[in-house]
Amino acid sequence: TQLLEQSPQFLSIQEGENLTVYCNSSSVFSSLQWYRQEPGEGPVLLVTVVTGGEVKKLKRLTFQFGDARKDSSLHITAAQPGDTGLYLCAGAWNQGGKLIFGQGTELSVKP
Amino acid sequence: NAGVTQTPKFRILKIGQSMTLQCTQDMNHNYMYWYRQDPGMGLKLIYYSVGAGITDKGEVPNGYNVSRSTTEDFPLRLELAAPSQTSVYFCASSYSSGVLLGTGELFFGEGSRLTVL
């Protein structure tokens, strides 16, 4: 069974702090996505990365795909209360596997 | 556009009852999916469809059935509800098959919270 492990599972920080969320697997991804989910709503796509070593920026969010395509990270600079939510990574493997989601990281940013 | 619409938003079932979760999308997407979300477990794919008349099993299909008679609608049927089916269910759609390969974008509904007692 292919697994995506996210860490940490829970993160509670003060407004203005920086944070990093990790997504790891023992298998090589063909691509990886990050979604954000607010309470009572469905997940919304933030980014897709497909190339090893790729870095994408979305305002204060920086997404990195590992060189070996087995891991990814999401870094938030100067977190704001509006960043609060569940962050999910989702990956697909080269052998035609379907999109698999990690267990999520619950982020709480306090004013 | 409404996007992906799910009904009902909340439902309580007794063990052994049956029900159908409705899902409709107005984006003319060929691909539709049903996921369940449990605390600390992420999203698990139940069933998916690549077009009207075509459905296939995902990771956790047992206890569920689906049909896809039109492009817009993809209902999920629960037969003989069990406490293990207590979860939040999400319907999603995508324009391309890229989602299945990890490159397309999934558009989700707001979810249906089901409790089986």
Side-chain angles (χ1 to χ4, degrees):
Chain A
T1 302
Q2 293 152 334
L3 292 174
L4 273 177
E5 296 288 339
Q6 279 188 246
S7 61
Q9 262 194 288
F10 301 95
L11 194 53
S12 182
I13 61 173
Q14 294 296 128
E15 182 176 1
E17 293 184 8
N18 301 332
L19 67 113
T20 302
V21 176
Y22 300 93
C23 179
N24 296 288
S25 174
S26 57
S27 301
V28 175
F29 303 133
S30 59
S31 63
L32 192 132
Q33 298 182 321
W34 286 92
Y35 286 81
R36 177 166 168 263
Q37 183 179 15
E38 296 191 33
E41 298 186 7
V44 175
L45 180 67
L46 294 173
V47 76
T48 300
V49 286
V50 297
T51 305
E54 185 175 2
V55 177
K56 282 191 173 180
K57 294 193 174 185
L58 189 65
K59 297 183 181 178
R60 293 175 294 99
L61 278 61
T62 301
F63 304 86
Q64 189 159 4
F65 202 12
D67 290 340
R69 291 160 61 191
K70 291 185 177 182
D71 57 271
S72 181
S73 64
L74 157 60
H75 182 79
I76 301 180
T77 303
Q80 299 176 1
D83 295 326
T84 293
L86 179 69
Y87 290 82
L88 294 155
C89 65
W93 280 264
N94 289 331
Q95 289 74 32
K98 298 178 182 56
L99 196 66
I100 303 293
F101 282 83
Q103 75 270 44
T105 293
E106 190 80 50
L107 171 66
S108 173
V109 182
K110 301 186 187 321
Chain B
N1 286 342
V4 179
T5 303
Q6 292 181 233
T7 56
K9 287 192 172 13
F10 302 94
R11 182 73 186 269
I12 297 175
L13 282 180
K14 294 183 179 179
I15 294 172
Q17 286 186 319
S18 300
M19 75 159 297
T20 299
L21 297 176
Q22 301 291 344
C23 175
T24 187
Q25 52 92 8
D26 63 0
M27 297 176 282
N28 201 32
H29 286 170
N30 283 326
Y31 298 82
M32 296 188 74
Y33 316 81
W34 274 105
Y35 288 90
R36 60 176 288 171
Q37 185 175 38
D38 301 298
M41 299 294 289
L43 289 156
K44 301 291 186 186
L45 181 63
I46 304 171
Y47 270 97
Y48 67 98
S49 169
V50 301
I54 306 170
T55 62
D56 205 350
K57 296 178 180 178
E59 301 170 77
V60 289
N62 292 344
Y64 307 94
N65 279 301
V66 293
S67 59
R68 185 94 181 272
S69 57
T70 67
T71 299
E72 295 78 20
D73 301 307
F74 190 40
L76 177 71
R77 177 86 177 159
L78 280 73
E79 305 281 3
L80 299 174
S84 61
Q85 292 178 305
T86 293
S87 188
V88 181
Y89 291 85
F90 286 97
C91 179
S93 70
S94 69
Y95 174 73
S96 73
S97 63
V99 167
L100 296 176
L101 303 174
T103 56
E105 179 175 2
L106 278 168
F107 294 85
F108 285 89
E110 293 185 337
S112 298
R113 183 176 293 275
L114 175 67
T115 301
V116 182
L117 302 174

